[in-house]
Amino acid sequence: MNNVMTKERLVQILDQAVQDVTECTAGVRLFQGGQPPENDLCTIQITFDKGFRTSLTLCADTRLLYRMACNSFHEESVSPEDLEEFSKEYFNVLCGRVAGAMFRATRIPAHFGPPVFYRGSYEPKGCEIQFVLTYRNEYSEGAQLIHHVPCSDGDGVISNEE
């Protein structure tokens, strides 16, 4: 494996993508910090299957995702199915932004599978958490973006496949 990006640089890329995509697509400003979301959660997860051995998980208050979906659709309410579809599309756009930024930084093309939506919290198997970014909006609705790496790869850098 080649070490291609430090954890600090990856944190910068992920944070910028979260803030930009969330504000542009859903009209919601997120701020780093605060307590992690605790109750009524939804999780969206993707795995990078080419280019990098990593995965991203967004665990968020359902209220936050609901607010984002309503803003995006310009509706006062959305169905549970619309909430799921919005959440997957939002995360797909977010991960696309991340993949693009990673390519510009490393010249390694990345590919990820389709986002998977879960009611409640979910942690991918065979992975360990490298770091977590915690966010809150002005209504104290929260989310965490969790970066996972394969188990026992704790060297602090993101790696590409050999």
Side-chain angles (χ1 to χ4, degrees):
M1 266 184 269
N2 296 320
N3 298 332
V4 295
M5 185 178 297
T6 66
K7 176 182 160 187
E8 291 75 21
R9 179 67 180 123
L10 182 58
V11 166
Q12 290 175 330
I13 287 172
L14 293 174
D15 180 52
Q16 188 69 52
V18 166
Q19 301 219 21
D20 290 350
V21 170
T22 304
E23 189 166 356
C24 289
T25 63
V28 172
R29 293 202 70 186
L30 294 178
F31 306 94
Q32 265 202 35
Q35 297 297 313
E38 296 177 356
N39 303 315
D40 196 15
L41 304 173
C42 294
T43 304
I44 310 103
Q45 193 269 333
I46 64 97
T47 300
F48 283 83
D49 52 11
K50 290 191 174 110
F52 296 96
R53 295 178 46 212
T54 186
S55 68
L56 292 173
T57 303
L58 181 73
C59 185
D61 286 329
T62 301
R63 290 184 334 254
L64 174 61
L65 293 174
Y66 184 81
R67 181 181 309 280
M68 291 168 57
C70 287
N71 287 353
S72 182
F73 295 151
H74 305 287
E75 299 287 339
E76 290 186 28
S77 65
V78 294
S79 70
E81 294 80 16
D82 287 341
L83 177 69
E84 180 176 338
E85 286 306 310
F86 165 79
S87 298
K88 290 191 294 189
E89 185 57 31
Y90 161 78
F91 205 54
N92 193 53
V93 170
L94 175 66
C95 292
R97 177 76 61 96
V98 169
M102 289 169 57
F103 177 76
R104 286 187 297 280
T106 66
R107 293 296 179 218
I108 297 170
H111 178 268
F112 52 89
V116 181
F117 181 87
Y118 302 92
R119 297 252 176 223
S121 62
Y122 169 82
E123 289 191 32
K125 304 251 187 284
C127 296
E128 60 188 34
I129 295 172
Q130 185 183 36
F131 61 84
V132 177
L133 300 176
T134 301
Y135 295 92
R136 284 273 178 226
N137 69 1
E138 63 187 282
Y139 303 103
S140 294
E141 298 161 337
Q144 287 190 311
L145 184 66
I146 305 162
H147 180 255
H148 292 93
V149 293
C151 285
S152 71
D153 187 15
D155 58 4
V157 297
I158 186 169
S159 304
N160 72 320
E161 297 174 338
E162 291 187 297

